[in-house]
Amino acid sequence: METNPGYLQEENINYKRYIYLFLSHWYWFALCIIIALTVAYFKNRYASTYYMATASLISEDDDQQQDVLSQFRSIRFLKNNIELQNESAKLRSYTLAHRTIEVLDFDVSYMGYGRIREKALYRNAGINVVFDTTHIQIEGTPVYINTINNSEYYLEIYKGKKIRMKYGQEYYDSNFKFTVFRDLNVSTYGKLSFTLHDKNRLANQYRAMLEIDASEKQSGTVITVKIKTDDAGKSVNYINTLCTEYIRFGLERKTQIAANTQDFLDNQIRAINDSLRMSERLMLLFKLNNDVVDLNKQGQIAFDNLKSYNQQKVELLFKLNYFDYLLKYINENKDPQNMLSPALVDGTNNSLTALTAELSNLYSKKEEFSYSAKIDNPSIEIINRKIASSKEQIIENITNSIQNTKNKIQLLEKQIAGISVEIKKLPVSEQELFNIERKYDINNKFYNFLLERRAETGIQRASTISTVRVLDEARIDNTQTIATKKSLVLLIAFFMGFLIPAVILILLDLINPTISYHEDIENNTKIPILGTIGHNYTDSDIPVQTDPRSPFAEAFRRIRTNLQYILRNKEDKVIMVTSTISGEGKTYITANLAAIMAMSNKKILLAGFDLRRPRLNTIFNIGNQVGISTFLIGKSTFDDIIFAVGVDNLWVAPSGPIPPNPAELLETDKMREFIATAKENFDYIIIDTPPIALVTDSLLIAEYSNANIFILRQKYTHKDVLELLNNLYESNKFKNLNILVNDVIVTQSLGYKYYYGYGYHYGYGYGYAYNGDKGYYGNSEKTDEESLVTRFKRWLRSDG
């Protein structure tokens, strides 16, 4: 609403206004609070109870992996903090959750149905359902069971279709195949249901419910794992199984390297074992058949040299096999954390050992990021680039190592060929024995070398333990019960029951376009308020006449008194009453104001200048064949249109027949003649005019009036009217312009401020002196004691 800024006042929050607004609509608050408290009661009564199971893990430092830097407190704290975050991410991982679900029997859930609510059951359902894993099963669809007796039940899968079944009898169709067994633990529920769940969804569901609290300690990191479910046993089983699988998962990664090493060594041992046995049998057979015990001195020297060269060649061939294995492993993009370390085969190639260790570390970091980071995370992209670069360096190093090894083998083969020439000079029997012993010795030493390495690997694998252990397992008796806080729920319900109607009432009040409160007028205009009129609860159009002692009549007496301050001169006799639109009570107010003024022994003329929609004749039950319209056109005299209406000192000039040109008639000399004649014969002339927003008649009549009353009706007149009134007030087109507020209902708004504040401000003693010694209500004396309610109402009526 656009309002003349000259009349705008700073608006402050009127707390009394909203207090009274709430009090006048107390029944909505009572209803909402009752409904909210009822809902809260049933929520407390039938809300599900949850159980929190807790277990703790401790990750201890590995003494073999400590270095000098880790002894510093800040470095150790940073290291433990990083490990803590990594381990927390692993515990929340989908892989670990899925492994846990695979171990547990959570894929089938049971539900018991009571009279009002349902309850999730775990191992006390009273039934056990076994699904045929080779058959198609529909997941997520509840299957209902209604117990008949200890051996039979009704099965309901499809709505409205019940099948009588026996416990232990297999059921199958195109969607299901299962058998229901009756458990020894008999359920108290007559109606049950079971549902098969997808394990992938269960894993994600339990991941979301998992809570992890980790803290850094002096000796390591302590991780507290919690989960909240609707069954204490289910919470405990899941937490304990999760911790077990977490430790097992870590051990599997650690022992995988040793397992791969053993597999590699076993393959090499199997390959050399057959050659060793063959060479051993040949040597024994040759010695028995040829009776040769030993070589001569020259042959022994050649044999020793050849044995040394062949031993070096075998070691080089072993390295060459490892390099081929390593190159294939890298090219196949396998996890280097499980790769056979180069230090086991070639302790001299420090650069290759460092490169493989760096690659394994990069994969470890990538795995840690993958637990929590997204695939397109910049950190993962950086690690992927580093992995690619490290692989290129390793492949280049392996390629160079293979070439160097082949060159060494070629050099050894030349040396072996030179010794073979010398051996050929020996006797034939010695040459044959030499070759047999050479092969046997080479195979035997290599075989022993592999056995030694396999034994070392086995010891390392057997001695591998997890650095993480369970500090405290979850226990049923330590499970924390998490139920609804009843007092808090009731408090929230009470608050919501009060808040919801309060917000609605405030919003309705803010968007209300009509004038409802005193501030709506006071903050937007400086036009004086003449008074307020309450709602007429009677059937009479002139209640001031039918019940002159009523509070309604008293309000008009106060307005009559207030008009005396405006019409101070004897010549000021004309009062015009108008409004904005029809329905604001203009004619009704005019008739009652004229009647109340006539009761003060003043001659009053009520003139109906609403020539377009006349109504005064209906209110006073007089004819409308002659009236002001016939006087203005010269067909009637002044005396012809003046009628007594049964109220002392009150005469009415009706509007007369509706003319085609009312505005033109009001501008004639006959209009001036009528006003002049009326002033000569009456003490006051009260004029009823058409609404000013619809026609211009009121503006034409305003030049004759000495006081102008503009009617506003509570919760009917729009606030935009005040802008029109401000313009009229500034232009001085209406003399002594005042506002009268009609149809004020005290019980619905701050109308009490109009009704009591303004009325008693101007005419407090008038009504109470009306009946002689006694006041209007029968006793003018004020009681000594007031009730709290009376004091509170009096405080609300005050301005502060």
Side-chain angles (χ1 to χ4, degrees), residues 11 71 214 230 251 429 495 612 627:
E11 296 187 8
Q71 301 304 316
D230 52 10
L251 279 175
S429 59
F495 176 75
R612 302 171 189 270

Side-chain angles (χ1 to χ4, degrees), residues 243-486:
C243 293
T244 302
E245 290 301 313
Y246 169 68
I247 295 173
R248 184 179 299 166
F249 180 70
L251 279 175
E252 288 175 0
R253 296 302 303 270
K254 288 186 176 182
T255 57
Q256 188 62 43
I257 297 176
N260 292 344
T261 304
Q262 276 193 327
D263 291 341
F264 179 79
L265 292 174
D266 288 341
N267 292 332
Q268 298 297 319
I269 289 173
R270 282 192 294 269
I272 200 65
N273 189 37
D274 293 337
S275 299
L276 176 62
R277 291 181 179 180
M278 180 63 70
S279 60
E280 182 179 9
R281 286 195 297 268
L282 288 175
M283 183 179 66
L284 292 174
L285 185 62
F286 182 83
K287 287 185 177 182
L288 291 174
N289 293 335
N290 295 281
D291 198 21
V292 177
V293 179
D294 201 356
L295 300 173
N296 58 29
K297 185 176 181 179
Q298 183 180 0
Q300 186 64 42
I301 294 173
F303 176 77
D304 292 340
N305 291 334
L306 186 61
K307 183 172 64 173
S308 175
Y309 292 146
N310 277 292
Q311 180 66 31
Q312 295 178 35
K313 181 180 177 182
V314 169
E315 292 178 359
L316 291 175
L317 289 173
F318 180 69
K319 291 182 180 180
L320 197 60
N321 289 337
Y322 171 74
F323 290 143
D324 290 338
Y325 153 82
L326 188 59
L327 186 62
K328 181 180 178 182
Y329 198 98
I330 296 297
N331 287 329
E332 290 179 355
N333 293 319
K334 294 182 178 180
D335 189 354
Q337 298 181 88
N338 302 326
M339 184 175 59
L340 187 62
S341 175
L344 182 65
V345 178
D346 185 10
T348 60
N349 196 341
N350 295 327
S351 61
L352 182 60
T353 302
L355 288 172
T356 54
E358 181 184 358
L359 181 63
S360 177
N361 185 43
L362 289 173
Y363 265 85
S364 178
K365 290 183 178 180
K366 181 180 178 181
E367 183 181 19
E368 292 168 2
F369 273 108
S370 65
Y371 288 128
S372 56
K374 296 182 179 179
I375 298 177
D376 56 351
N377 188 282
S379 300
I380 295 181
E381 293 294 329
I382 294 173
I383 292 176
N384 286 334
R385 287 197 292 269
K386 289 182 178 180
I387 288 175
S389 175
S390 180
K391 282 185 176 181
E392 291 178 359
Q393 296 179 29
I394 291 175
I395 293 173
E396 182 180 359
N397 189 291
I398 293 174
T399 304
N400 294 334
S401 298
I402 290 174
Q403 187 61 43
N404 293 335
T405 303
K406 288 181 178 180
N407 292 337
K408 290 179 180 180
I409 291 174
Q410 291 178 358
L411 180 60
L412 286 173
E413 287 177 345
K414 289 180 181 179
Q415 293 174 340
I416 291 172
I419 294 176
S420 298
V421 174
E422 296 181 3
I423 292 175
K424 288 180 180 180
K425 297 177 182 180
L426 298 174
V428 175
S429 59
E430 291 187 6
Q431 291 185 33
E432 292 181 3
L433 179 60
F434 178 83
N435 290 329
I436 292 172
E437 288 185 349
R438 175 178 59 82
K439 293 179 180 179
Y440 171 78
D441 192 64
I442 292 172
N443 291 332
N444 186 49
K445 286 189 175 182
F446 186 53
Y447 181 75
N448 289 331
F449 167 78
L450 293 176
L451 288 178
E452 181 182 350
R453 290 301 175 92
R454 188 176 68 173
E456 293 175 356
T457 304
I459 294 172
Q460 180 183 359
R461 183 177 183 180
S463 61
T464 301
I465 62 173
S466 175
T467 57
V468 180
R469 61 184 176 88
V470 178
L471 196 61
D472 288 311
E473 285 188 342
R475 297 168 56 90
I476 290 287
D477 51 355
N478 290 337
T479 302
Q480 181 183 0
T481 303
I482 302 176
T484 303
K485 295 183 179 179
K486 297 182 179 182

Side-chain angles (χ1 to χ4, degrees), residues 688-700:
D688 178 35
T689 64
I692 193 171
L694 303 179
V695 293
T696 61
D697 297 12
S698 298
L699 294 174
L700 299 174

Side-chain angles (χ1 to χ4, degrees), residues 735-790:
K735 300 175 184 177
N736 295 321
L737 180 61
N738 289 266
I739 293 174
L740 190 150
V741 184
N742 182 32
D743 199 24
V744 175
I745 301 176
V746 181
T747 59
Q748 292 185 1
S749 67
L750 282 186
Y752 67 88
K753 201 167 186 181
Y754 302 137
Y755 195 86
Y756 292 101
Y758 281 88
Y760 284 104
H761 178 74
Y762 288 110
Y764 181 86
Y766 183 85
Y768 283 74
Y770 179 79
N771 197 26
D773 295 336
K774 292 186 177 181
Y776 180 74
Y777 294 99
N779 189 358
S780 61
E781 296 180 1
K782 183 179 179 182
T783 58
D784 295 333
E785 296 183 0
E786 293 180 311
S787 65
L788 292 176
V789 176
T790 304

Side-chain angles (χ1 to χ4, degrees), residues 126-127 146-153 164-168 180-184 186-187:
I127 60 172
N146 289 279
T147 302
I148 301 175
N149 50 51
N150 291 335
S151 60
E152 292 181 310
Y153 65 92
R164 193 181 184 103
M165 299 284 293
K166 291 184 177 181
Y167 289 108
V180 179
F181 297 95
R182 188 166 184 82
D183 200 348
L184 295 177
V186 179
S187 175

Side-chain angles (χ1 to χ4, degrees), residues 442-723:
I442 292 172
N443 291 332
N444 186 49
K445 286 189 175 182
F446 186 53
Y447 181 75
N448 289 331
F449 167 78
L450 293 176
L451 288 178
E452 181 182 350
R453 290 301 175 92
R454 188 176 68 173
E456 293 175 356
T457 304
I459 294 172
Q460 180 183 359
R461 183 177 183 180
S463 61
T464 301
I465 62 173
S466 175
T467 57
V468 180
R469 61 184 176 88
V470 178
L471 196 61
D472 288 311
E473 285 188 342
R475 297 168 56 90
I476 290 287
D477 51 355
N478 290 337
T479 302
Q480 181 183 0
T481 303
I482 302 176
T484 303
K485 295 183 179 179
K486 297 182 179 182
S487 58
L488 180 61
V489 171
L490 290 173
L491 181 62
I492 293 174
F494 181 84
F495 176 75
M496 295 303 297
F498 179 83
L499 181 64
I500 291 174
V503 170
I504 293 175
L505 287 174
I506 291 174
L507 290 177
L508 291 176
D509 179 66
L510 292 175
I511 64 176
N512 182 16
T514 62
I515 295 172
S516 302
Y517 302 100
H518 177 263
E519 290 81 2
D520 295 337
I521 302 174
E522 192 176 57
N523 293 336
N524 293 284
T525 184
K526 291 183 178 179
I527 301 174
I529 300 176
L530 184 65
T532 61
I533 301 298
H535 182 74
N536 179 19
Y537 292 97
T538 68
D539 295 331
S540 173
D541 288 329
I542 311 178
V544 298
Q545 180 189 14
T546 57
D547 191 4
R549 296 189 178 186
S550 66
F552 187 85
E554 186 65 27
F556 275 96
R557 290 189 180 93
R558 289 194 294 271
I559 294 172
R560 180 184 66 188
T561 302
N562 294 338
L563 282 172
Q564 293 176 1
Y565 292 93
I566 299 173
L567 303 175
R568 293 185 294 271
N569 299 323
K570 293 183 178 182
E571 295 79 11
D572 297 338
K573 296 184 176 183
V574 181
I575 303 171
M576 185 184 78
V577 181
T578 187
S579 65
T580 314
I581 58 175
S582 299
E584 292 174 313
K586 167 183 57 62
T587 302
Y588 163 77
I589 294 293
T590 305
N592 281 273
L593 179 61
I596 203 70
M597 293 185 72
M599 292 180 186
S600 62
N601 295 321
K602 300 290 184 182
K603 292 183 65 177
I604 306 298
L605 174 62
L606 176 56
F609 274 87
D610 189 350
L611 304 181
R612 302 171 189 270
R613 295 185 62 184
R615 187 167 173 268
L616 285 177
N617 59 299
T618 304
I619 293 176
F620 291 98
N621 195 21
I622 58 177
N624 200 39
Q625 292 78 17
V626 294
I628 291 176
S629 61
T630 58
F631 175 82
L632 294 178
I633 62 176
K635 288 186 177 182
S636 302
T637 64
F638 183 84
D639 294 333
D640 294 337
I641 64 172
I642 304 301
F643 299 91
V645 293
V647 179
D648 294 342
N649 302 317
L650 177 61
W651 286 263
V652 176
S655 300
I658 300 175
N661 55 345
E664 286 77 3
L665 294 179
L666 296 176
E667 294 179 312
T668 61
D669 293 336
K670 295 291 288 183
M671 178 64 185
R672 293 185 180 86
E673 179 185 341
F674 176 85
I675 297 297
T677 305
K679 284 183 176 183
E680 291 176 359
N681 294 281
F682 294 93
D683 295 322
Y684 292 102
I685 300 95
I686 301 177
I687 299 176
D688 178 35
T689 64
I692 193 171
L694 303 179
V695 293
T696 61
D697 297 12
S698 298
L699 294 174
L700 299 174
I701 301 172
E703 65 174 295
Y704 304 105
S705 64
N706 304 113
N708 296 281
I709 302 175
F710 200 97
I711 306 299
L712 301 178
R713 184 176 178 181
Q714 184 191 32
K715 296 188 177 181
Y716 185 86
T717 304
H718 277 245
K719 297 176 183 178
D720 296 339
V721 170
L722 297 175
E723 183 180 1

